[in-house]
Structure formats: structure tokens, C-alpha cells
Amino acid sequence: MMAKILDSSLAKQGRLKIELAQASMPVLMKLREIHSKARTLDGMRIAGCLHVTKETAVLVETLKAAGATVSWSGCNPLSTQDDIAAALADEGIDIYAWRGLSSEDYYWCIEQTLKMKPQLTLDDGADLIFTVHTKHREYLEGLQGGTEETTTGVHRIRAMANDGKLMYPIIAVNDAATKSSFDNVYGTGQSALDGIIRATNVLLSGKNVVVGGYGHCGSGIASRSKGMGANVIVTEVDPIKALQARMDGYSVMSMAEAAKLGDVFITATGCKNVITKEHMRLMKNGAILSNAGHFNVEVSVEDLESLAKSRKEVRPNNMEYIMADGRRLYLLGEGRLVNLAAAEGHPSEVMDMSFANQFMSIVRLAKESKGMKPGVYEISKEQDQEVASLKLESMGISIDSLTEEQKKYLTGWEEGT
Ligand code: ADE
């Protein structure tokens, strides 16, 4: 076993957290029970690049229980939870991850996970897929398939496929309804605010919260902020989403207008330079800047650094920048995803569905990928519905089913007025 982590003495603490997560991830644990008996992934080598959290640990250990050999790295320099990394290393997982690593170390960790010559990859943000398609093409030959967890990563692999550059099949886990309509909405909605509150202890009630982007993540953040008593302002570039935000009851305006009003800014666009110098110059004294998108490109940290005459860390994950005119702006988690940099990421209950989809996609690839051409694949409606049904069952909820008469009605066209 090979590993590079921060501190192996944290393993016991990490293990306790993993056990708690297991208790809140009944769907994934049910899959573990079934596939550990069947040893569905016997002989498979899987490299993963995904935030090292207690929920991820439950996924990794489920892959292992089903027979796979797994190697792992984190997918963001500030998201690794060192106690979880220690617990996974203690279980014999090849893991290369610690919080606060440099960009160079980040890619070094990914490279170490490739040494086992994986047949499958599991990504969140597509940095592992990117690495094997650029610097380490020698591993492409052995690769049968992969999965991608997040919106930004799916954009990246679709762009690769459109350019004719994607060399093996990837399942877009993000696009399953039981992933993006839950994890992105309720997960990001809660965990982004959790990160902001842990880093500042700000009272959201009565504040102007500016949400950049009204996709799944932005709509979740807006809804939770409103629930906490904030006045929510949404900025968008898509006229349909902007209209939706307005009709959901939020103010909608340009970032240049919102910049003057905002107390707390949260970007979730998946795009770069959403908050730049031109906006920072207009902001109120005390404004808090944060990002919930995958990469640290949404708030221009470079611009903030260039405008500031000094900076100091005022509490963990909270950097105070003093502008030339004396205004203070606060940047959380270095502009990296605030829910993981300053909190623990999404709660286990919602990751349960995301990672059930990950696991089922890996099983599908292990069985079928040899017949799949390079490209981006969707999760089937059947898988989505199975995950939702298992989740409902675990929550003790039963729902109606269609009668034969109703099925006939829904598939027919003869009955009208
Ligand atoms: N992405 C967001 N929250 C997460 C979590 N708790 N674990 C892994 N990936 C995540």
C-alpha cells in the first residue's frame, strides 16, 4: 500500500465520522451489501479524483467491498479532510491527499494514483481525465471508461468530445436527476451557507445576498438564503434563468448594480471573472466575497490582490483585504468552493444519491464499457428512478403507482374533451 497524507494519527477521528456518514447513506450501503456479496467489481482497478470527505470515504469503501482496487486523490487543494484521508490510508487505500497542497503537489498526487494502471477513472472536475489525455497518454490504452461528478467537469468532457479529443467513454453522473436536482440544489444550498457562516458568523437575516448564477446550485443558494431572512439578488447571463429567478421572487440585476448593494456575494456560475475589479471598486465596506463553483476563477483573486494595500487572515478561511480608500473586503476560502474549503461539503443524506449513481455507473462500465465508444453517456432513466425509489424507501415513504387504465390513458391519444 502506498499513501501520502498529512497525519496518520487522525485515522481514529476520521473513522468515527465515516461511520456516522454510513448511517445517513442507506442507498449506497444497500448497494454495498448487494455488490460485496456478488463481488461485482472483482479485479477492477479504479483511480478516483474527488473531494476527500466522509461521504467519499463511504463510496471508496463500497468500491473496495465490491472487489475493486482503488487509488485516490482529492480534486481541490482546500477540500481534503485530513482525518478522512488518514482513515482511508489506515484501511489500506492508496491515497494521496492533504489539505492546502500546492498546485504542483496536486497534480503529483493525481499522477501517483495512475501508477496502478486504472481501467476506470472517477472524476469530479475532470482533472484526472485531463491528466491522462495530456501529460500521461500512456495510460489511455488501458482505460475502459470513467465517470464525472460535477457540472463543470461535464462541460469540460463535452468540450473534449466536441473537439474529437475524448478517448474513452465517460458517464455524466452530474446530469442524473437524482444528482443535479438534489445535490446541486439542496446540498450546495445548505453547505455554501454553512461555509460562509463558519468563516464569518455573519447574520444572514436582513442582509443583501447576491447570488451569481441561477442554475441548480445558484437556485439552491438563493432559496436557502431567502429562508434565512436575506434579501436575495440574482445575477445571470441567460435571459430564461434570469426570468425564472425574478418569478421565484428575487431581485435580478447586473453584477455592476448588485456590487453596490451586496453584503454577501456567492458565485455559482461555472464561469470565470464573474466578480472583478470593476465590481470590487463599487462594493460596500465589509462586503463578503465567496464562491461555490468548482474552480477558483469566479471571483478574481488577482484583482482583489491588486486593489488591496494590505491583507490579513482574520479567522480561518477568511482573508481581510484593505483597499486604498480604507474599505475592507473579506474573501472566504481563497475563492475556492466555500462549502468544502470552509465547511464539510454537502451533507451525507444528499451525497447518498450522488454516490449511489457513481457506484451504479462504475458497475455499468465494468460490465459494458468494452462495447461503448469514446463519448459522453447519460445515466438511464431506469437508474435514476431506481435511486429515487431506494431513497424514498429508506425514508419510509411509499407513493402511488399507475393503474393499467391510467397507463393506457397516458400512452393513448383517443380520449379528449
Ligand atoms: N461535493 C460536495 N459535497 C461533497 C461531499 N460531502 N463529499 C464529496 N464531494 C462533495
Side-chain angles (χ1 to χ4, degrees):
M1 196 271 292
M2 305 279 284
K4 185 162 164 52
I5 54 162
L6 181 76
D7 180 358
S8 56
S9 74
L10 299 173
K12 209 166 158 195
Q13 176 188 315
R15 179 55 47 196
L16 291 174
K17 289 187 187 166
I18 296 168
E19 282 168 11
L20 270 180
Q22 282 175 355
S24 297
M25 301 181 83
V27 180
L28 188 56
M29 291 304 285
K30 179 152 195 172
L31 292 172
R32 183 185 294 190
E33 194 189 314
I34 296 166
H35 292 274
S36 61
K37 283 190 200 119
R39 301 286 293 180
T40 317
L41 298 177
D42 247 350
M44 293 307 293
R45 293 184 306 280
I46 305 171
C49 177
L50 195 147
H51 307 295
V52 179
T53 65
K54 56 191 182 307
E55 293 75 25
T56 300
V58 181
L59 172 63
V60 170
E61 292 181 352
T62 304
L63 294 167
K64 188 179 166 197
T69 306
V70 183
S71 65
W72 213 261
S73 68
C75 68
N76 186 287
L78 283 189
S79 67
T80 293
Q81 295 165 16
D82 289 312
D83 51 356
I84 304 298
L88 284 173
D90 195 51
E91 277 302 301
I93 303 291
D94 279 359
I95 177 162
Y96 306 86
W98 61 98
R99 190 179 196 276
L101 41 57
S102 65
S103 186
E104 197 186 340
D105 284 341
Y106 174 81
Y107 282 102
W108 177 85
C109 289
I110 289 180
E111 287 176 22
Q112 303 318 300
T113 65
L114 287 170
K115 289 188 173 159
M116 50 115 71
K117 300 193 174 72
Q119 292 139 310
L120 300 178
T121 58
L122 194 158
D123 258 271
D124 184 336
D127 283 339
L128 175 55
I129 294 170
F130 174 78
T131 303
V132 290
H133 281 79
T134 51
K135 200 169 167 202
H136 287 291
R137 293 183 68 85
E138 70 272 22
Y139 294 109
L140 280 174
E141 207 191 319
L143 278 164
Q144 296 172 17
T147 60
E148 171 49 54
E149 167 81 4
T150 202
T151 317
T152 295
V154 170
H155 281 163
R156 275 180 105 184
I157 54 165
R158 285 200 200 284
M160 286 175 78
N162 288 341
D163 273 355
K165 298 279 160 57
L166 188 65
M167 302 305 287
Y168 60 98
I170 308 286
I171 299 181
V173 172
N174 179 74
D175 297 354
T178 46
K179 199 281 182 181
S180 49
S181 298
F182 295 89
D183 164 319
N184 305 28
V185 179
Y186 307 104
T188 314
Q190 179 166 319
S191 63
L193 297 192
D194 183 9
I196 291 166
I197 292 167
R198 289 194 206 195
T200 60
N201 202 29
V202 67
L203 179 73
L204 290 171
S205 192
K207 294 290 189 324
N208 289 333
V209 171
V210 178
V211 181
Y214 202 68
H216 283 112
C217 295
S219 69
I221 296 168
S223 136
R224 270 32 192 169
S225 301
K226 186 177 179 180
M228 297 283 279
N231 172 49
V232 177
I233 299 168
V234 171
T235 73
E236 247 303 337
V237 291
D238 177 335
I240 298 171
K241 287 186 181 153
L243 200 53
Q244 260 173 343
R246 184 68 194 116
M247 295 217 179
D248 282 344
Y250 307 115
S251 300
V252 177
M253 59 186 78
S254 68
M255 186 59 87
E257 286 176 277
K260 294 178 242 167
L261 305 173
D263 298 299
V264 180
F265 293 81
I266 313 166
T267 53
T269 67
C271 197
K272 69 194 281 193
N273 293 334
V274 178
I275 297 181
T276 59
K277 258 186 197 162
E278 80 172 275
H279 309 115
M280 292 164 188
R281 286 201 181 100
L282 301 170
M283 286 179 183
K284 297 197 281 193
N285 181 36
I288 295 166
L289 278 64
S290 65
N291 165 51
H294 187 77
F295 288 120
N296 60 334
V297 293
E298 307 209 11
V299 177
S300 173
V301 182
E302 211 183 2
D303 280 4
L304 195 52
E305 299 269 350
S306 75
L307 288 179
K309 62 173 197 221
S310 68
R311 61 166 221 193
K312 68 171 183 290
E313 191 170 39
V314 288
R315 42 190 286 166
N317 304 309
N318 187 342
M319 189 71 82
E320 178 186 73
Y321 288 84
I322 305 187
M323 305 290 111
D325 60 9
R327 281 175 310 128
R328 290 169 153 79
L329 300 183
Y330 296 88
L331 177 68
L332 309 187
E334 300 174 16
R336 297 194 185 276
L337 14 72
V338 70
N339 58 335
L340 282 138
E344 290 172 61
H346 307 345
S348 311
E349 291 86 339
V350 84
M351 294 314 295
D352 188 23
M353 289 192 280
S354 309
F355 287 167
N357 276 307
Q358 277 286 2
F359 184 81
M360 289 163 104
S361 301
I362 289 285
V363 168
R364 175 177 161 201
L365 287 167
K367 287 187 184 149
E368 297 172 15
S369 64
K370 289 203 171 111
M372 290 160 80
K373 293 200 180 78
V376 180
Y377 289 77
E378 299 295 339
I379 276 176
S380 67
K381 188 157 184 204
E382 290 72 36
Q383 178 177 317
D384 234 346
Q385 294 202 327
E386 188 182 345
V387 171
S389 299
L390 288 169
K391 190 71 183 172
L392 281 170
E393 193 185 312
S394 77
M395 295 164 89
I397 298 171
S398 42
I399 59 171
D400 295 323
S401 46
L402 293 170
T403 61
E404 284 310 313
E405 182 197 27
Q406 287 173 323
K407 279 186 200 161
K408 201 163 160 233
Y409 178 80
L410 289 175
T411 50
W413 51 272
E414 291 94 344
E415 284 187 61
T417 311

